[in-house]
Amino acid sequence: MDGPIPNQISGFGFCLVRAREKRPFELAWQKTPYKIDDPKFQLHLQNGGNYGVICSGGVVVLDVDAIDEFSAKVDYADIPDTFTVKTGGGGHHFYFLAPGVEEKIVLKNGSGNHLGELQAGGAQVVGPGCIHPSG
C-alpha cells in the first residue's frame, strides 16, 4: 500500500488483499471484516499488503471501468458529491452510503458492453492507496 487509509472510509469494514493483487485471500472475508485499528490488519498494511473495502451495511461503491463511455452517458453533475478515487486501471470509485442497497448491479451500455458495477451486497473494491497489479 502506498499511504494511509483516507479518513472518509476509515469507519468501513476491510479485508486483506496480497500486495499487487485485487482479490481477498482469506476465507469468509465478507463475514469477518477488519476495523482500521485491528492489529492484524495494521501489520498486513505495514508489510506492504493491499486491502479491500467491503461493500455491505449500506456502503456501496460505483465502480466505473469504462470512464469515457460512462461519462458520455451520465452527466457527472447528476452524481452527488462524494469521496471519489481514480483507480489503478484508469476508472473511478465513487463511495456512497446507501442503506438498503444490498445487491451488486452490473452496468452495461445499450450494446451490452461492460461499463462497471455498483458494488454492494458483500462485494469489495481495492482500497485507495493500494498498488495495482500493473504497478
Side-chain angles (χ1 to χ4, degrees):
M1 198 181 90
D2 197 26
I5 294 175
N7 288 337
Q8 295 92 327
I9 64 169
S10 64
F12 296 171
F14 304 105
C15 58
L16 305 183
V17 176
R18 287 188 175 92
R20 298 181 85 119
E21 292 188 12
K22 295 173 65 172
R23 304 208 186 292
F25 62 85
E26 293 184 308
L27 297 177
W29 56 268
Q30 297 99 330
K31 296 178 181 166
T32 55
Y34 291 95
K35 293 295 180 192
I36 195 168
D37 59 353
D38 185 291
K40 183 177 178 181
F41 181 67
Q42 286 297 318
L43 182 61
H44 175 76
L45 297 179
Q46 289 167 14
N47 288 330
N50 280 348
Y51 69 98
V53 178
I54 300 175
C55 302
S56 66
V59 174
V60 298
V61 176
L62 178 58
D63 179 1
V64 180
D65 298 322
I67 199 71
D68 291 338
E69 191 171 356
F70 181 82
S71 60
K73 302 280 184 199
V74 175
D75 183 351
Y76 278 104
D78 292 337
I79 298 176
D81 286 340
T82 189
F83 180 64
T84 304
V85 177
K86 186 172 181 184
T87 68
H92 287 86
H93 287 170
F94 300 89
Y95 287 77
F96 296 97
L97 294 177
V101 177
E102 288 295 333
E103 185 173 324
K104 177 178 177 174
I105 301 170
V106 176
L107 307 171
K108 296 183 179 185
N109 67 9
S111 303
N113 295 327
H114 182 265
L115 300 177
E117 302 86 23
L118 180 68
Q119 302 286 7
Q124 65 91 30
V125 296
V126 175
C130 291
I131 306 298
H132 191 270
S134 68

PDB file of all heavy atoms in Angstrom, residues 16 24 31 33-34 36 50-51 57 59 62 71 75 82-83 86 89 96 114 119 121 129 132:
ATOM      1  N   LEU A  16      -8.244  -8.346   3.809  1.00  0.00           N
ATOM      2  CA  LEU A  16      -6.836  -8.415   3.431  1.00  0.00           C
ATOM      3  C   LEU A  16      -6.693  -8.864   1.982  1.00  0.00           C
ATOM      4  O   LEU A  16      -7.348  -9.800   1.548  1.00  0.00           O
ATOM      5  CB  LEU A  16      -6.087  -9.403   4.337  1.00  0.00           C
ATOM      6  CG  LEU A  16      -6.177  -9.174   5.839  1.00  0.00           C
ATOM      7  CD1 LEU A  16      -5.317 -10.197   6.573  1.00  0.00           C
ATOM      8  CD2 LEU A  16      -5.798  -7.764   6.217  1.00  0.00           C
ATOM      9  N   PRO A  24      -9.373 -10.679  -2.231  1.00  0.00           N
ATOM     10  CA  PRO A  24      -9.084 -11.122  -0.862  1.00  0.00           C
ATOM     11  C   PRO A  24      -8.581 -12.566  -0.861  1.00  0.00           C
ATOM     12  O   PRO A  24      -8.940 -13.359  -1.735  1.00  0.00           O
ATOM     13  CB  PRO A  24     -10.438 -11.037  -0.161  1.00  0.00           C
ATOM     14  CG  PRO A  24     -11.275 -10.159  -1.017  1.00  0.00           C
ATOM     15  CD  PRO A  24     -10.773 -10.317  -2.413  1.00  0.00           C
ATOM     16  N   LYS A  31     -17.638 -12.025   5.994  1.00  0.00           N
ATOM     17  CA  LYS A  31     -18.281 -12.180   7.304  1.00  0.00           C
ATOM     18  C   LYS A  31     -17.392 -11.759   8.466  1.00  0.00           C
ATOM     19  O   LYS A  31     -17.848 -11.692   9.599  1.00  0.00           O
ATOM     20  CB  LYS A  31     -18.718 -13.627   7.486  1.00  0.00           C
ATOM     21  CG  LYS A  31     -19.768 -14.036   6.483  1.00  0.00           C
ATOM     22  CD  LYS A  31     -20.160 -15.474   6.645  1.00  0.00           C
ATOM     23  CE  LYS A  31     -21.205 -15.793   5.587  1.00  0.00           C
ATOM     24  NZ  LYS A  31     -21.420 -17.192   5.430  1.00  0.00           N
ATOM     25  N   PRO A  33     -15.068  -8.762   8.698  1.00  0.00           N
ATOM     26  CA  PRO A  33     -14.343  -7.545   8.293  1.00  0.00           C
ATOM     27  C   PRO A  33     -13.421  -7.050   9.400  1.00  0.00           C
ATOM     28  O   PRO A  33     -13.707  -7.213  10.587  1.00  0.00           O
ATOM     29  CB  PRO A  33     -15.451  -6.540   8.026  1.00  0.00           C
ATOM     30  CG  PRO A  33     -16.608  -7.013   8.829  1.00  0.00           C
ATOM     31  CD  PRO A  33     -16.495  -8.516   8.882  1.00  0.00           C
ATOM     32  N   TYR A  34     -12.326  -6.471   8.990  1.00  0.00           N
ATOM     33  CA  TYR A  34     -11.388  -5.842   9.916  1.00  0.00           C
ATOM     34  C   TYR A  34     -11.779  -4.383  10.098  1.00  0.00           C
ATOM     35  O   TYR A  34     -12.227  -3.732   9.163  1.00  0.00           O
ATOM     36  CB  TYR A  34      -9.961  -5.891   9.367  1.00  0.00           C
ATOM     37  CG  TYR A  34      -9.384  -7.275   9.324  1.00  0.00           C
ATOM     38  CD1 TYR A  34      -9.459  -8.040   8.164  1.00  0.00           C
ATOM     39  CD2 TYR A  34      -8.748  -7.822  10.432  1.00  0.00           C
ATOM     40  CE1 TYR A  34      -8.932  -9.317   8.123  1.00  0.00           C
ATOM     41  CE2 TYR A  34      -8.212  -9.098  10.399  1.00  0.00           C
ATOM     42  CZ  TYR A  34      -8.315  -9.841   9.240  1.00  0.00           C
ATOM     43  OH  TYR A  34      -7.797 -11.109   9.197  1.00  0.00           O
ATOM     44  N   ILE A  36     -10.192  -0.576  11.147  1.00  0.00           N
ATOM     45  CA  ILE A  36      -8.925   0.078  10.835  1.00  0.00           C
ATOM     46  C   ILE A  36      -7.862  -0.120  11.918  1.00  0.00           C
ATOM     47  O   ILE A  36      -6.675  -0.198  11.617  1.00  0.00           O
ATOM     48  CB  ILE A  36      -9.141   1.581  10.533  1.00  0.00           C
ATOM     49  CG1 ILE A  36      -7.902   2.169   9.868  1.00  0.00           C
ATOM     50  CG2 ILE A  36      -9.552   2.330  11.782  1.00  0.00           C
ATOM     51  CD1 ILE A  36      -8.122   3.533   9.274  1.00  0.00           C
ATOM     52  N   ASN A  50      -2.047  -5.051   0.271  1.00  0.00           N
ATOM     53  CA  ASN A  50      -3.198  -4.257  -0.160  1.00  0.00           C
ATOM     54  C   ASN A  50      -4.368  -4.571   0.758  1.00  0.00           C
ATOM     55  O   ASN A  50      -4.315  -5.502   1.563  1.00  0.00           O
ATOM     56  CB  ASN A  50      -3.570  -4.585  -1.605  1.00  0.00           C
ATOM     57  CG  ASN A  50      -2.691  -3.891  -2.619  1.00  0.00           C
ATOM     58  OD1 ASN A  50      -1.926  -2.996  -2.297  1.00  0.00           O
ATOM     59  ND2 ASN A  50      -2.794  -4.309  -3.876  1.00  0.00           N
ATOM     60  N   TYR A  51      -5.439  -3.821   0.606  1.00  0.00           N
ATOM     61  CA  TYR A  51      -6.651  -4.077   1.377  1.00  0.00           C
ATOM     62  C   TYR A  51      -7.864  -3.832   0.497  1.00  0.00           C
ATOM     63  O   TYR A  51      -7.799  -3.113  -0.502  1.00  0.00           O
ATOM     64  CB  TYR A  51      -6.718  -3.189   2.630  1.00  0.00           C
ATOM     65  CG  TYR A  51      -6.928  -1.722   2.354  1.00  0.00           C
ATOM     66  CD1 TYR A  51      -8.199  -1.148   2.437  1.00  0.00           C
ATOM     67  CD2 TYR A  51      -5.869  -0.894   1.989  1.00  0.00           C
ATOM     68  CE1 TYR A  51      -8.395   0.199   2.180  1.00  0.00           C
ATOM     69  CE2 TYR A  51      -6.059   0.455   1.736  1.00  0.00           C
ATOM     70  CZ  TYR A  51      -7.323   0.998   1.828  1.00  0.00           C
ATOM     71  OH  TYR A  51      -7.524   2.325   1.566  1.00  0.00           O
ATOM     72  N   GLY A  57     -23.592  -3.344   4.551  1.00  0.00           N
ATOM     73  CA  GLY A  57     -24.079  -2.489   5.621  1.00  0.00           C
ATOM     74  C   GLY A  57     -24.340  -1.062   5.186  1.00  0.00           C
ATOM     75  O   GLY A  57     -24.166  -0.132   5.962  1.00  0.00           O
ATOM     76  N   VAL A  59     -22.689   0.512   2.707  1.00  0.00           N
ATOM     77  CA  VAL A  59     -21.562   1.034   1.921  1.00  0.00           C
ATOM     78  C   VAL A  59     -21.683   0.474   0.510  1.00  0.00           C
ATOM     79  O   VAL A  59     -21.728  -0.752   0.317  1.00  0.00           O
ATOM     80  CB  VAL A  59     -20.212   0.628   2.539  1.00  0.00           C
ATOM     81  CG1 VAL A  59     -19.055   1.053   1.629  1.00  0.00           C
ATOM     82  CG2 VAL A  59     -20.058   1.212   3.927  1.00  0.00           C
ATOM     83  N   LEU A  62     -19.762   2.875  -6.602  1.00  0.00           N
ATOM     84  CA  LEU A  62     -19.967   2.901  -8.043  1.00  0.00           C
ATOM     85  C   LEU A  62     -18.588   2.749  -8.663  1.00  0.00           C
ATOM     86  O   LEU A  62     -17.738   3.637  -8.547  1.00  0.00           O
ATOM     87  CB  LEU A  62     -20.626   4.220  -8.462  1.00  0.00           C
ATOM     88  CG  LEU A  62     -20.855   4.424  -9.950  1.00  0.00           C
ATOM     89  CD1 LEU A  62     -21.713   3.318 -10.547  1.00  0.00           C
ATOM     90  CD2 LEU A  62     -21.489   5.794 -10.189  1.00  0.00           C
ATOM     91  N   SER A  71     -19.010   8.461 -18.963  1.00  0.00           N
ATOM     92  CA  SER A  71     -19.234   9.908 -18.892  1.00  0.00           C
ATOM     93  C   SER A  71     -19.974  10.432 -20.117  1.00  0.00           C
ATOM     94  O   SER A  71     -20.606  11.485 -20.049  1.00  0.00           O
ATOM     95  CB  SER A  71     -17.915  10.658 -18.683  1.00  0.00           C
ATOM     96  OG  SER A  71     -17.027  10.411 -19.731  1.00  0.00           O
ATOM     97  N   ASP A  75     -24.176  12.395 -16.931  1.00  0.00           N
ATOM     98  CA  ASP A  75     -23.659  13.713 -16.598  1.00  0.00           C
ATOM     99  C   ASP A  75     -23.131  13.655 -15.167  1.00  0.00           C
ATOM    100  O   ASP A  75     -23.876  13.354 -14.232  1.00  0.00           O
ATOM    101  CB  ASP A  75     -24.765  14.752 -16.723  1.00  0.00           C
ATOM    102  CG  ASP A  75     -24.289  16.164 -16.475  1.00  0.00           C
ATOM    103  OD1 ASP A  75     -23.132  16.367 -16.037  1.00  0.00           O
ATOM    104  OD2 ASP A  75     -25.086  17.089 -16.726  1.00  0.00           O
ATOM    105  N   THR A  82     -19.164  13.156  -3.514  1.00  0.00           N
ATOM    106  CA  THR A  82     -18.820  12.045  -2.648  1.00  0.00           C
ATOM    107  C   THR A  82     -17.327  11.789  -2.729  1.00  0.00           C
ATOM    108  O   THR A  82     -16.646  12.315  -3.615  1.00  0.00           O
ATOM    109  CB  THR A  82     -19.619  10.777  -3.037  1.00  0.00           C
ATOM    110  OG1 THR A  82     -19.425   9.779  -2.047  1.00  0.00           O
ATOM    111  CG2 THR A  82     -19.200  10.236  -4.399  1.00  0.00           C
ATOM    112  N   PHE A  83     -16.816  10.982  -1.835  1.00  0.00           N
ATOM    113  CA  PHE A  83     -15.412  10.587  -1.876  1.00  0.00           C
ATOM    114  C   PHE A  83     -15.197   9.764  -3.139  1.00  0.00           C
ATOM    115  O   PHE A  83     -15.894   8.771  -3.380  1.00  0.00           O
ATOM    116  CB  PHE A  83     -15.072   9.772  -0.626  1.00  0.00           C
ATOM    117  CG  PHE A  83     -13.645   9.321  -0.567  1.00  0.00           C
ATOM    118  CD1 PHE A  83     -12.612  10.254  -0.470  1.00  0.00           C
ATOM    119  CD2 PHE A  83     -13.320   7.982  -0.607  1.00  0.00           C
ATOM    120  CE1 PHE A  83     -11.289   9.845  -0.414  1.00  0.00           C
ATOM    121  CE2 PHE A  83     -12.001   7.567  -0.537  1.00  0.00           C
ATOM    122  CZ  PHE A  83     -10.985   8.500  -0.447  1.00  0.00           C
ATOM    123  N   LYS A  86      -9.503   7.736  -8.208  1.00  0.00           N
ATOM    124  CA  LYS A  86      -9.101   7.217  -9.509  1.00  0.00           C
ATOM    125  C   LYS A  86      -8.415   5.879  -9.270  1.00  0.00           C
ATOM    126  O   LYS A  86      -7.531   5.766  -8.414  1.00  0.00           O
ATOM    127  CB  LYS A  86      -8.157   8.181 -10.225  1.00  0.00           C
ATOM    128  CG  LYS A  86      -7.831   7.741 -11.629  1.00  0.00           C
ATOM    129  CD  LYS A  86      -7.049   8.788 -12.382  1.00  0.00           C
ATOM    130  CE  LYS A  86      -6.773   8.280 -13.783  1.00  0.00           C
ATOM    131  NZ  LYS A  86      -5.939   9.201 -14.536  1.00  0.00           N
ATOM    132  N   GLY A  89      -6.522   1.046 -12.673  1.00  0.00           N
ATOM    133  CA  GLY A  89      -6.869   0.649 -14.036  1.00  0.00           C
ATOM    134  C   GLY A  89      -7.414   1.786 -14.878  1.00  0.00           C
ATOM    135  O   GLY A  89      -7.822   1.576 -16.016  1.00  0.00           O
ATOM    136  N   PHE A  96     -20.465   5.707  -1.616  1.00  0.00           N
ATOM    137  CA  PHE A  96     -21.739   6.216  -1.113  1.00  0.00           C
ATOM    138  C   PHE A  96     -22.202   5.397   0.082  1.00  0.00           C
ATOM    139  O   PHE A  96     -21.850   4.221   0.210  1.00  0.00           O
ATOM    140  CB  PHE A  96     -22.837   6.118  -2.186  1.00  0.00           C
ATOM    141  CG  PHE A  96     -22.600   6.958  -3.395  1.00  0.00           C
ATOM    142  CD1 PHE A  96     -22.038   6.400  -4.528  1.00  0.00           C
ATOM    143  CD2 PHE A  96     -22.936   8.301  -3.409  1.00  0.00           C
ATOM    144  CE1 PHE A  96     -21.807   7.167  -5.658  1.00  0.00           C
ATOM    145  CE2 PHE A  96     -22.708   9.077  -4.531  1.00  0.00           C
ATOM    146  CZ  PHE A  96     -22.144   8.511  -5.662  1.00  0.00           C
ATOM    147  N   HIS A 114     -19.596  -3.822 -21.128  1.00  0.00           N
ATOM    148  CA  HIS A 114     -19.408  -3.607 -19.697  1.00  0.00           C
ATOM    149  C   HIS A 114     -18.857  -2.204 -19.422  1.00  0.00           C
ATOM    150  O   HIS A 114     -17.850  -1.809 -20.000  1.00  0.00           O
ATOM    151  CB  HIS A 114     -18.437  -4.668 -19.176  1.00  0.00           C
ATOM    152  CG  HIS A 114     -18.190  -4.598 -17.722  1.00  0.00           C
ATOM    153  ND1 HIS A 114     -17.125  -3.933 -17.187  1.00  0.00           N
ATOM    154  CD2 HIS A 114     -18.872  -5.117 -16.675  1.00  0.00           C
ATOM    155  CE1 HIS A 114     -17.160  -4.043 -15.876  1.00  0.00           C
ATOM    156  NE2 HIS A 114     -18.199  -4.755 -15.536  1.00  0.00           N
ATOM    157  N   GLN A 119     -21.028  -1.788  -6.702  1.00  0.00           N
ATOM    158  CA  GLN A 119     -20.569  -2.834  -5.789  1.00  0.00           C
ATOM    159  C   GLN A 119     -21.336  -2.729  -4.482  1.00  0.00           C
ATOM    160  O   GLN A 119     -21.325  -1.684  -3.837  1.00  0.00           O
ATOM    161  CB  GLN A 119     -19.064  -2.706  -5.547  1.00  0.00           C
ATOM    162  CG  GLN A 119     -18.224  -2.789  -6.797  1.00  0.00           C
ATOM    163  CD  GLN A 119     -18.113  -4.199  -7.356  1.00  0.00           C
ATOM    164  OE1 GLN A 119     -18.754  -5.144  -6.909  1.00  0.00           O
ATOM    165  NE2 GLN A 119     -17.266  -4.354  -8.355  1.00  0.00           N
ATOM    166  N   GLY A 121     -23.667  -5.600  -1.437  1.00  0.00           N
ATOM    167  CA  GLY A 121     -24.021  -6.973  -1.086  1.00  0.00           C
ATOM    168  C   GLY A 121     -22.856  -7.865  -0.726  1.00  0.00           C
ATOM    169  O   GLY A 121     -22.880  -9.059  -1.007  1.00  0.00           O
ATOM    170  N   GLY A 129      -4.923   3.932  -2.311  1.00  0.00           N
ATOM    171  CA  GLY A 129      -3.538   3.841  -1.874  1.00  0.00           C
ATOM    172  C   GLY A 129      -2.903   2.492  -2.136  1.00  0.00           C
ATOM    173  O   GLY A 129      -1.689   2.338  -1.953  1.00  0.00           O
ATOM    174  N   HIS A 132      -1.782  -1.317  -7.690  1.00  0.00           N
ATOM    175  CA  HIS A 132      -2.446  -2.107  -8.722  1.00  0.00           C
ATOM    176  C   HIS A 132      -1.504  -3.208  -9.221  1.00  0.00           C
ATOM    177  O   HIS A 132      -0.287  -3.030  -9.214  1.00  0.00           O
ATOM    178  CB  HIS A 132      -2.836  -1.158  -9.866  1.00  0.00           C
ATOM    179  CG  HIS A 132      -3.742  -1.766 -10.878  1.00  0.00           C
ATOM    180  ND1 HIS A 132      -3.265  -2.426 -11.979  1.00  0.00           N
ATOM    181  CD2 HIS A 132      -5.089  -1.812 -10.953  1.00  0.00           C
ATOM    182  CE1 HIS A 132      -4.290  -2.849 -12.703  1.00  0.00           C
ATOM    183  NE2 HIS A 132      -5.410  -2.488 -12.103  1.00  0.00           N
TER     184      HIS A 132
END
